[in-house]
Amino acid sequence: MSRNKEDKAVAGRDRRVLELTDRLMEIEQRLIPTGLHIFGREPARAVSSDALRVLASFDRPEEEITSLPQLIAAGLGLGSYAMLRGEALSEENLATRERIDRLARDVIETFFDHRNAQPSLRCVEMLNEGGCAIDRHQLEKLLDFLSSTIAGMESSREADSLAAALRGQYVEPGPGGDIIQNPGVLPTGRNTHAVNPYSVPSRAAVLRAEPQARALLDRHRSESGRYPETIAMVLWGIDNIKTQGESVAQALWLLGVRPKRDALNRTTGIEIVPLEQLGRPRIDVVMTVSGIFRDLFGTTMELLDAAVRSVAGLHESDEQNFVRKHVRAQMSQAGDDFDEAVLRVFSNAPGNYGTNVNFMVNDSQWNDSRELGELFVTRKCFAYGRDSRRKSFEGREAKALLERALARVEVTYQNIDSTEVGIVDVDHYFEYLGGVTRAAEKQSGARPAIYLSDSLSPDRKVRTLEETVKLETRTKTLNPKWFEGMLQHGFSGVAEIEHRVTNTFGWSATADAVDDWVYDEVAATFVLDHEMLERLRRLNPHSARTLVGRLLEAAGRGYWSVEPSTLEELRRAYHDLEDRLEGVVVDA
């Protein structure tokens, strides 16, 4: 090998090591639940410490609080922590980030150790010893915020509030959501309220949405070389309650509009963002909306419909306005009128909920994956909005129109906004995002790119579905910290493990998004390890059998290229579990 080739090989290897280190740091720092919530019980210190570490990693401008990593970076004379994370990977860059993260962990631990005796002084002393001249005033504001948060964690009112409710007494109201996004949800045990639908999307949601929508477009542009003309976006009610409409704001930004407000901060309409300010084409957005969103955000659905209609009516070129381009093409080619060609907001029929794709997958009641896409369209083909005469239509069946819209989809997209619930924790993610992906693939003949935005860290990354499945598999399903925490809950814990395996399989069924190694490692961890399989069987034999059966189904449907010896061992394990459940084999 020539010296030049050898140097390139070494540089490539070093680059790969840096990328691997970066991935490992991401996995290490990700916040995960380590057990099920026990009603009325406050979290252990380790859980609270991890939660506070993540809480402290966000700037909170509404309270004039600077994030802990930024305070430490400034104290070390490094300037902006966000810029540091955005720099190209290098050994020095990773070492600096590790140093900041280590000091941040030390601050949280010191805070816990001395929270009742001048914690800011102790933290400043510890940081000074580490060469960090932190701004004590800013640190005190952050620690005061953490003190009130931990007080809320330790003040569960769940049992008392339940007893009060059963006696017919008043239960204090409080907001719902994820504590990382909104620590105001603490203490728990209050009567959860939602959000004022007339304020959606909030000003904060609009500010957060613009960079996230830009990151989505940049990610796809970097991979495909151009902007996507049509994006199918999933909107859920609960998620938009938590974020005060961040997904709605993203849809508006993709269209190139912003909400208008009145003196009472109510959203009253939309304002067109000029193309010169937008700096890109207007993206066509097909919105599939959950039944809960439909029920809670009727005015918001009308706002979204009005936004699409306004953009479609602009006198702009087809290269700069994909909504107008597609509406005109559909009117010309399919003979639809404007009111039909412009429909983009779809949900269930009034009174109906869900796609039922999850039920079909979980019950193995399908032969061809195209059936899943067909079911999604059948359930979600009801249009909502107002026509050109401002006459409202709610739940108008429009299957052919949804199919035409989906035939143009190049990207499917959804937000993740909770540390508690990821895309393989519940089956709703694959029934919606997976379902619309399979439906778009059925109509267009090609699988669209699939992205998810992750607002669980300050980076607010946009990942592909495949990247997200791998990340959640490593941080939860195959993480002993996670599955051992679940096994402490016995029967229910095994059920949670089985649900994750089944939901992972759901992403194979709807999007072919699961690598062979995921199933290999799941089998090795929970089935081929005979001691582990026996633990699962004794705690919950029904879920243990379902878990093994789901692995066999993944292999049988061609989603997993499994070694014959492994497949045979899985079959033996399944038959043994079945025999024991049916009493053919009795434990000694």
Side-chain angles (χ1 to χ4, degrees):
M1 180 184 293
S2 68
R3 183 56 182 265
N4 189 39
K5 288 184 177 180
E6 184 177 349
D7 289 344
K8 286 184 177 180
V10 171
R13 181 197 63 196
D14 291 346
R15 177 70 183 178
R16 183 61 182 154
V17 170
L18 289 173
E19 291 173 350
L20 180 60
T21 303
D22 187 46
R23 292 284 183 88
L24 290 173
M25 289 175 63
E26 180 183 40
I27 292 170
E28 178 188 21
Q29 294 166 6
R30 195 167 179 85
L31 186 64
I32 63 168
T34 53
L36 300 175
H37 174 66
I38 299 176
F39 190 81
R41 181 181 297 181
E42 65 186 55
R45 168 168 168 165
V47 174
S48 299
S49 177
D50 286 341
L52 288 193
R53 175 180 55 79
V54 177
L55 277 163
S57 67
F58 285 85
D59 288 325
R60 301 188 184 273
E62 69 278 6
E63 302 190 42
E64 299 182 342
I65 292 174
T66 303
S67 73
L68 182 56
Q70 175 55 44
L71 291 176
I72 293 173
L76 293 172
L78 299 172
S80 169
Y81 181 69
M83 290 183 63
L84 182 68
R85 291 192 64 89
E87 290 177 2
L89 286 178
S90 67
E91 190 172 346
E92 181 182 2
N93 174 270
L94 286 176
T96 302
R97 284 164 48 190
E98 281 190 285
R99 181 186 181 191
I100 293 172
D101 293 339
R102 184 173 63 253
L103 287 173
R105 289 178 183 274
D106 290 344
V107 167
I108 297 301
E109 291 305 314
T110 302
F111 165 75
F112 265 97
D113 291 338
H114 302 283
R115 50 187 291 210
N116 296 318
Q118 296 184 303
S120 63
L121 175 62
R122 301 291 185 179
C123 290
V124 168
E125 291 174 347
M126 181 272 297
L127 289 168
N128 287 340
E129 291 174 2
C132 178
I134 200 165
D135 185 323
R136 181 171 178 178
H137 174 68
Q138 288 295 326
L139 179 63
E140 286 177 345
K141 291 177 66 174
L142 174 62
L143 295 183
D144 287 343
F145 166 74
L146 297 182
S147 293
S148 62
T149 302
I150 193 64
M153 289 182 180
E154 296 174 346
S155 302
S156 171
R157 304 176 186 174
E158 293 169 356
D160 291 340
S161 294
L162 175 61
L166 292 173
R167 292 193 296 266
Q169 296 176 331
Y170 174 76
V171 176
E172 181 184 350
D178 182 88
I179 67 166
I180 305 302
Q181 300 284 347
N182 179 18
V185 303
L186 299 171
T188 57
R190 292 181 290 174
N191 189 10
T192 305
H193 62 74
V195 67
N196 177 4
Y198 296 99
S199 68
V200 170
S202 70
R203 296 181 188 276
V206 171
L207 290 174
R208 293 193 301 265
E210 182 179 7
Q212 199 69 17
R214 188 184 304 116
L216 169 65
L217 296 178
D218 288 346
R219 176 69 193 266
H220 185 267
R221 194 180 181 193
S222 70
E223 295 178 350
S224 68
R226 61 185 183 82
Y227 287 110
E229 292 196 11
T230 304
I231 294 176
M233 189 170 179
V234 174
L235 299 176
W236 283 355
I238 301 301
D239 287 2
N240 278 283
I241 289 173
K242 293 177 184 177
T243 63
Q244 297 180 319
E246 188 169 332
S247 296
V248 172
Q250 288 176 17
L252 295 177
W253 272 117
L254 290 170
L255 289 165
V257 302
R258 62 170 66 95
K260 290 194 300 186
R261 303 180 190 281
D262 63 13
L264 298 177
N265 198 36
R266 294 176 302 187
T267 302
T268 57
I270 59 99
E271 174 187 348
I272 301 295
V273 178
L275 285 171
E276 303 79 46
Q277 181 180 342
L278 199 59
R280 58 161 174 84
R282 303 187 194 277
I283 310 300
D284 195 350
V285 184
V286 181
M287 290 155 275
T288 53
V289 173
S290 73
I292 293 177
F293 187 105
R294 174 203 62 206
D295 293 346
L296 297 178
F297 296 106
T299 56
T300 307
M301 292 175 71
E302 291 188 359
L303 177 76
L304 292 168
D305 176 69
V308 174
R309 290 171 179 273
S310 297
V311 170
L314 295 173
H315 295 292
E316 297 171 340
S317 70
D318 288 352
E319 293 73 24
Q320 292 297 313
N321 188 330
F322 298 139
V323 182
R324 181 175 186 268
K325 173 184 177 181
H326 298 154
V327 168
R328 293 175 67 200
Q330 188 169 325
M331 293 171 66
S332 172
Q333 297 166 10
D336 296 329
D337 63 26
F338 178 83
D339 282 336
E340 293 174 324
V342 79
L343 292 177
R344 294 294 186 275
V345 182
F346 297 90
S347 187
N348 299 83
N352 287 308
Y353 301 86
T355 72
N356 289 358
V357 169
N358 51 336
F359 300 138
M360 184 178 277
V361 170
N362 292 341
D363 295 339
S364 304
Q365 296 298 314
W366 54 284
N367 295 313
D368 189 311
S369 61
R370 288 175 295 184
E371 297 173 30
L372 304 175
E374 178 65 26
L375 177 61
F376 181 91
V377 170
T378 300
R379 295 284 297 175
K380 286 291 179 182
C381 68
F382 297 85
Y384 289 80
R386 292 179 181 270
D387 62 22
S388 299
R389 293 168 293 180
R390 301 297 297 160
K391 182 179 179 181
S392 177
F393 54 90
E394 295 188 358
R396 171 191 168 188
E397 187 171 1
K399 184 175 181 180
L401 297 176
L402 176 57
E403 288 176 339
R404 287 175 193 143
L406 292 176
R408 296 186 293 265
V409 166
E410 300 170 61
V411 169
T412 57
Y413 172 69
Q414 188 172 3
N415 286 279
I416 304 174
D417 60 13
S418 172
T419 58
E420 295 293 326
V421 181
I423 66 166
V424 293
D425 284 302
V426 294
D427 56 11
H428 300 306
Y429 277 106
F430 79 74
E431 74 155 313
Y432 273 88
L433 183 60
V436 73
T437 298
R438 195 58 92 186
E441 181 181 14
K442 181 177 182 293
Q443 297 303 319
S444 68
R447 200 201 81 164
I450 314 169
Y451 298 105
L452 296 113
S453 77
D454 183 345
S455 59
L456 309 183
S457 68
D459 293 342
R460 303 180 66 82
K461 292 185 177 180
V462 172
R463 296 187 179 90
T464 65
L465 172 60
E466 289 81 358
E467 290 169 348
T468 308
V469 169
K470 293 173 187 176
L471 180 61
E472 292 206 4
T473 298
R474 291 181 173 118
T475 56
K476 290 185 180 179
T477 311
L478 300 177
N479 184 349
K481 187 176 181 180
W482 180 82
F483 65 70
E484 288 294 347
M486 289 299 163
L487 289 174
Q488 293 177 10
H489 299 279
F491 184 93
S492 296
V494 178
E496 288 295 320
I497 294 171
E498 179 271 311
H499 292 337
R500 286 189 65 83
V501 175
T502 293
N503 295 333
T504 299
F505 170 77
W507 287 115
S508 288
T510 58
D512 300 316
V514 185
D515 291 346
D516 283 341
W517 71 262
V518 172
Y519 291 118
D520 289 338
E521 293 300 319
V522 168
T525 302
F526 298 110
V527 184
L528 305 183
D529 182 332
H530 300 296
E531 182 179 341
M532 173 60 77
L533 181 60
E534 181 61 17
R535 288 176 67 189
L536 300 181
R537 185 190 69 80
R538 289 189 178 279
L539 291 172
N540 186 338
H542 299 279
S543 289
R545 178 181 60 175
T546 301
L547 187 155
V548 179
R550 201 62 72 182
L551 291 172
L552 289 170
E553 184 177 4
R557 290 186 183 271
Y559 296 125
W560 177 25
S561 299
V562 59
E563 292 291 331
S565 58
T566 300
L567 187 59
E568 184 57 34
E569 191 161 354
L570 289 173
R571 287 172 177 152
R572 284 198 298 268
Y574 184 85
H575 292 314
D576 178 67
L577 288 164
E578 198 165 52
D579 287 345
R580 292 175 183 274
L581 280 169
E582 294 178 359
V584 176
V585 176
V586 181
D587 292 334

